[in-house]
Amino acid sequence: MKIRCPHCQAVAAIRTSRPWTPVFREIRLQCTDVDCGATYVASLTIDRMLVSSQKPNPRVRIPQGYAVPRPANDDTQQEAAAL
Ligand SMILES: [Zn+2]
């Protein structure tokens, strides 16, 4: 997964992360463009389960969810390249 700097669109590198709970983590990002130099704090949350764990932690509650449908590669309409 690549996260882009919202200002200059360069890749933002994850420098550190810190867990707050088993399903929430704070992430510190730094833009890799030295002329930009922006740093950010982002968050990562586990929202729902697609397949249940075979080693469940009784203290962790994650709602059962669903997969968001994604189009197959052949569903995208593209013009054929001119030869
Ligand atoms: Zn940037």
Side-chain angles (χ1 to χ4, degrees):
M1 176 173 78
K2 283 187 181 174
I3 299 172
R4 300 247 173 222
C5 173
H7 289 288
C8 74
Q9 299 303 307
V11 172
I14 296 173
R15 295 299 182 205
T16 62
S17 71
R18 184 168 106 176
W20 286 89
T21 73
V23 296
F24 180 82
R25 179 174 285 269
E26 183 180 275
I27 300 167
R28 288 182 159 230
L29 302 141
Q30 183 176 37
C31 178
T32 56
D33 183 334
V34 295
D35 293 327
C36 174
T39 60
Y40 303 97
V41 174
S43 58
L44 174 68
T45 304
I46 296 176
D47 295 322
R48 60 187 185 267
M49 300 282 298
L50 299 179
V51 177
S52 297
S53 172
Q54 297 302 304
K55 298 170 60 180
N57 180 339
R59 295 181 299 162
V60 174
R61 298 275 188 247
I62 303 170
Q64 194 70 33
Y66 53 89
V68 176
R70 298 170 60 185
N73 288 342
D74 58 353
D75 290 346
T76 304
Q77 298 292 323
Q78 293 181 343
E79 291 183 28
L83 297 177

